[in-house]
Amino acid sequence: PLSAPNAIAAQLESTRIEPSTPQTMLTTMTPTVESTPSTPQRMVTISALQYTMVPTVLCLTAIGGGYAIWLAEGKDPFLPTISNTWDTAPGTYFSRWLVGLATGCLALLQVFIYPEAAAGRGSTKQRICLRVSLAAILCLSVVGSICDSPNRQCKGNLYVHSFFAITWFVLYDLVMLASYERDLVLALLATGATSLRTTYHTRLWWVACLEWINIALVLVWSARRVDRSLKWGFGRLQHAVWSITSDSLLKLCGVIYVSTLLVSCMMGLHAGYIPRRHRRFWFISDMWTQIPGNWISRWAVMQGCHAGWVAHVAMFADTTSKLRQTGLVVAIVSLVGLSIVGCCDESENFPLHITGALVFFYGYDIWTVCAVLDDASCRARTACAFVCWLCAPIHMRHIMHVPSSLLDALAVAEWANALAIIGFMLLDGLVAHPSPLAVGVVRAAPDGLAKPLL
């Protein structure tokens, strides 16, 4: 018989776990641990209030910047319509660039206002309101692209501009009225301002005041309708209400890029302003100096750059290669150059247009060098990069004399470079280095209750 202390010691000895047992248990449990995310998902978010400030500030900057230029030109300070401040340079550039950015952000803001409809679960009224508000914002984007004066610095059209401006206000006012559960007073005031502004289509100062007040009412109403439980997100999104991946953005950028070139070509050939006299072929910029080619470039190039910027930022965030990251920074800057090319044609401001073109072509060519040096496994992508490098010297024609007999060949080379760039962009982002990152609207917490922002 064992004493009490010896019995306890024997019992402990019989139940002792051998050293190999924890290892076996850990090995067995490892799949369970890995079945949940073992590393934090990379996601950058900002609150609904912070995101609402982005389109608001862009809209106010476009309006305030145009007015500041109006005052700097010594014109009557009290009070022009918003469109009047966008008739001459550089106010025209403000409207095209900033309104183009603002409308893209306003479109995403509608997801904050109608999240259930954006997720495909909302009521019929919510889904209709979402679609109508997006149609209204599309009209606003055209307003910024086509000014209301036919002068040389504007090359717009009063009737086209006015049609899209009135349609923008009317459609958005209808959405505000339909969402009568809250802020009906703001909706009625905005509708009244639109009605008076449309009835008295004059340049009187009080009519201009109605237009400025109407914009303010729309921005305030939109901010008050935002769902505070939502956030803007970028990265590997969780609890997404609506999102779009970087791959989809690249495809969208490619579709806009190619279709803009094709439509500009068809319009220019039909109108007869390309090819130019004594030439058999044309440079890309030649298609964007006359109506309607300039309208197309001002609108479509900015929209394509939106998608391109976000996609390239996603590619930057999803790589650890310093060489790729450096090249992607240059690529993002090059797309800024492309946006300048679209917003200002060579007949309006030749130095500004050419600066944008050189930044775009040489910037993106530098990115192709960095990408291929980092990874040359995709032969098709490398072939596109090689075409870019061969065509790069032709852009020196802007800073040195070139015989007129070579212009047709140089124009063909410019087209080859432009098409090789979009080919490289798609092959790099969709085939060689696809990114799972996305941008969209997420819930701060699952099943959070919707609350008004203000």
Side-chain angles (χ1 to χ4, degrees):
L2 296 174
S3 63
N6 292 336
I8 294 173
Q11 184 178 6
L12 291 175
E13 180 67 23
S14 64
T15 58
R16 185 173 63 86
I17 300 175
E18 296 298 327
S20 59
T21 304
Q23 297 177 5
T24 305
M25 291 175 64
L26 287 176
T27 304
T28 305
M29 293 174 62
T30 300
T32 305
V33 173
E34 290 183 348
S35 64
T36 59
S38 57
T39 57
Q41 296 294 314
R42 290 184 294 174
M43 181 172 69
V44 178
T45 62
I46 61 175
S47 68
L49 174 60
Q50 291 170 324
Y51 181 80
T52 303
M53 292 174 61
V54 175
T56 302
V57 169
L58 287 172
C59 287
L60 295 179
T61 303
I63 297 170
Y67 183 60
I69 293 170
W70 175 276
L71 295 178
E73 293 174 344
K75 297 180 180 178
D76 185 8
F78 196 82
L79 186 69
T81 64
I82 297 172
S83 298
N84 293 152
T85 65
W86 294 343
D87 286 345
T88 57
T92 51
Y93 312 146
F94 263 82
S95 69
R96 299 164 195 170
W97 206 85
L98 288 173
V99 174
L101 280 177
T103 50
C105 296
L106 275 174
L108 186 58
L109 186 66
Q110 304 311 301
V111 179
F112 286 87
I113 299 175
Y114 302 105
E116 295 301 319
R121 298 189 301 267
S123 65
T124 301
K125 188 182 82 169
Q126 288 178 329
R127 292 197 296 269
I128 292 175
C129 285
L130 176 61
R131 287 169 172 78
V132 173
S133 65
L134 291 175
I137 293 167
L138 176 63
C139 292
L140 178 60
S141 68
V142 177
V143 171
S145 303
I146 304 175
C147 49
D148 66 353
S149 172
N151 70 57
R152 187 175 180 275
Q153 297 182 37
C154 180
K155 292 183 181 177
N157 184 285
L158 175 63
Y159 299 105
V160 174
H161 177 91
S162 299
F163 170 80
F164 282 101
I166 293 171
T167 305
W168 138 250
F169 280 118
V170 170
L171 290 180
Y172 212 87
D173 289 347
L174 288 174
V175 170
M176 294 167 67
L177 288 172
S179 306
Y180 59 83
E181 296 87 354
R182 287 184 25 250
D183 298 323
L184 181 59
V185 174
L186 289 178
L188 291 173
L189 289 174
T191 304
T194 298
S195 302
L196 288 172
R197 175 70 182 88
T198 305
T199 303
Y200 296 94
H201 190 69
T202 67
R203 295 177 182 270
L204 296 175
W205 66 268
W206 65 270
V207 176
C209 286
L210 289 175
E211 187 177 81
W212 289 64
I213 292 171
N214 204 349
I215 288 289
L217 290 171
V218 166
L219 293 175
V220 171
W221 181 89
S222 300
R224 287 178 59 82
R225 293 288 297 184
V226 165
D227 186 340
R228 193 164 49 182
S229 70
L230 303 178
K231 291 186 176 184
W232 176 90
F234 175 79
R236 290 176 172 83
L237 303 185
Q238 298 176 335
H239 314 306
V241 173
W242 179 91
S243 65
I244 182 169
T245 64
S246 61
D247 289 357
S248 298
L249 285 169
L250 273 181
K251 293 174 185 176
L252 178 62
C253 180
V255 169
I256 295 176
Y257 189 107
V258 175
S259 61
T260 300
L261 293 176
L262 290 177
V263 173
S264 299
C265 245
M266 292 187 292
M267 290 292 186
L269 291 170
H270 177 73
Y273 53 81
I274 57 171
R276 292 186 175 181
R277 185 177 299 179
H278 308 306
R279 294 260 300 279
R280 288 174 300 204
F281 206 66
W282 55 91
F283 292 98
I284 294 173
S285 296
D286 295 342
M287 304 186 299
W288 296 342
T289 59
Q290 303 296 327
I291 298 172
N294 58 346
W295 298 353
I296 296 170
S297 70
R298 295 169 187 175
W299 184 86
V301 172
M302 276 305 301
Q303 305 309 317
C305 285
H306 289 170
W309 280 322
V310 178
H312 283 74
V313 170
M315 293 160 64
F316 175 89
D318 201 42
T319 184
T320 57
S321 168
K322 296 298 183 183
L323 186 58
R324 272 186 66 83
Q325 288 181 339
T326 301
L328 282 165
V329 170
V330 178
I332 293 168
V333 174
S334 77
L335 292 178
V336 176
L338 178 60
S339 69
I340 294 172
V341 169
C343 291
C344 172
D345 68 65
E346 62 183 10
S347 68
E348 294 175 309
N349 189 320
F350 186 78
L352 180 61
H353 178 87
I354 294 307
T355 299
L358 291 175
V359 169
F360 170 61
F361 279 113
Y362 283 127
Y364 216 89
D365 289 349
I366 290 171
W367 155 231
T368 64
V369 172
C370 295
V372 171
L373 288 177
D374 180 73
D375 175 20
S377 60
C378 180
R379 293 184 179 180
R381 186 188 65 148
T382 303
C384 289
F386 189 68
V387 172
C388 291
W389 305 337
L390 285 179
C391 298
I394 67 105
H395 305 295
M396 297 300 293
R397 69 182 179 87
H398 297 300
I399 56 179
M400 59 186 296
H401 175 72
V402 175
S404 57
S405 59
L406 296 178
L407 291 179
D408 286 332
L410 294 179
V412 173
E414 183 184 75
W415 276 82
N417 196 353
L419 294 175
I421 283 175
I422 193 60
F424 182 92
M425 182 188 300
L426 295 175
L427 289 168
D428 182 83
L430 300 179
V431 179
H433 297 276
S435 171
L437 303 189
V439 62
V441 178
V442 300
R443 288 206 176 274
D447 302 322
L449 297 177
K451 299 178 182 179
L453 179 64
L454 300 176

